[in-house]
């Protein structure tokens, strides 16, 4: 597969479907009482949603962990996050996966975590990972 099709914007229909999926997850995480997150985390959510809608799957994983880190830093500074929720976000299997996947994508240490072959032949797997990252982030924000 050529690189050019990967760089083309998704159709309006596909963008709208992705945006609706993302927004439903975000709305579900906020529930009845809107979750208050820090200004930086909230601003990064915009980039996360744009990357998701565009299909920039590696960037979605990186940004999901980055938003989570920013939110956790804000919660810790405010003294709001303690106990089981924090333990799950820091040490739970799913969150360890997210942090490790993000680190693999950002820091190439011994093996390449994302290749052109992945980008051209394994888009569906990358999308599954990105959706998992978004769902984990929103679960943590709901916390």
């Amino acid at each position: 597969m050529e690189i050019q099709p990967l760089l083309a914007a998704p159709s309006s229909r596909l963008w709208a479907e992705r945006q609706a999926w993302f927004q439903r997850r975000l709305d579900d995480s906020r529930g009845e009482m809107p979750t208050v997150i820090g200004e930086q985390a909230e601003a990064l959510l915009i980039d996360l949603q744009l990357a998701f809608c565009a299909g920039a799957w590696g960037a979605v994983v990186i940004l999901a962990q980055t938003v989570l880190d920013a939110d956790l830093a804000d919660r810790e500074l405010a003294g709001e996050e303690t106990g089981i929720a924090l333990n799950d976000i820091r040490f739970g299997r799913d969150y360890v996966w997210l942090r490790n996947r993000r680190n693999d994508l950002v820091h190439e240490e011994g093996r390449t975590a994302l290749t052109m072959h992945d980008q051209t032949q394994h888009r569906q797997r990358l999308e599954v990972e990105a959706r998992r990252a978004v769902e984990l982030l929103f679960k943590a924000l709901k916390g």
Side-chain angles (χ1 to χ4, degrees), residues 81-128:
E81 196 61 48
T82 59
I84 295 171
L86 183 58
N87 262 354
D88 185 42
I89 294 167
R90 287 232 170 99
F91 306 113
R93 189 182 92 229
D94 289 331
Y95 291 100
V96 168
W97 168 83
L98 177 57
R99 189 170 43 259
N100 288 341
R101 185 64 176 139
R102 177 247 177 225
N103 288 344
D104 286 345
L105 291 167
V106 173
H107 310 290
E108 187 174 359
E109 294 179 4
R111 71 172 194 82
T112 303
L114 183 65
T115 65
M116 284 304 298
H117 181 76
D118 294 326
Q119 288 285 27
T120 58
Q121 303 300 312
H122 299 289
R123 301 288 302 155
Q124 188 173 15
R125 179 181 54 82
L126 296 173
E127 181 176 352
V128 167

Side-chain angles (χ1 to χ4, degrees), residues 1-125:
M1 177 182 248
E2 246 183 90
I3 293 175
Q4 282 309 108
L6 292 174
L7 299 177
S11 68
S12 297
R13 180 194 56 78
L14 186 54
W15 184 284
E17 286 173 7
R18 290 173 179 168
Q19 190 172 36
W21 182 91
F22 189 98
Q23 193 62 49
R24 278 192 308 274
R25 290 338 180 256
L26 179 58
D27 292 346
D28 289 348
S29 77
R30 291 186 169 158
E32 296 293 317
M33 296 292 291
T35 303
V36 178
I37 62 173
E39 193 172 345
Q40 183 170 342
E42 188 172 31
L44 287 168
L45 268 176
I46 293 168
D47 279 349
L48 175 60
Q49 187 169 13
L50 286 168
F52 184 86
C53 292
W57 305 129
V60 168
V61 172
I62 293 166
L63 283 167
Q65 180 63 48
T66 303
V67 171
L68 183 55
D69 288 343
D71 182 61
L72 283 175
D74 286 343
R75 288 194 224 180
E76 287 175 347
L77 279 176
E80 295 174 8
E81 196 61 48
T82 59
I84 295 171
L86 183 58
N87 262 354
D88 185 42
I89 294 167
R90 287 232 170 99
F91 306 113
R93 189 182 92 229
D94 289 331
Y95 291 100
V96 168
W97 168 83
L98 177 57
R99 189 170 43 259
N100 288 341
R101 185 64 176 139
R102 177 247 177 225
N103 288 344
D104 286 345
L105 291 167
V106 173
H107 310 290
E108 187 174 359
E109 294 179 4
R111 71 172 194 82
T112 303
L114 183 65
T115 65
M116 284 304 298
H117 181 76
D118 294 326
Q119 288 285 27
T120 58
Q121 303 300 312
H122 299 289
R123 301 288 302 155
Q124 188 173 15
R125 179 181 54 82

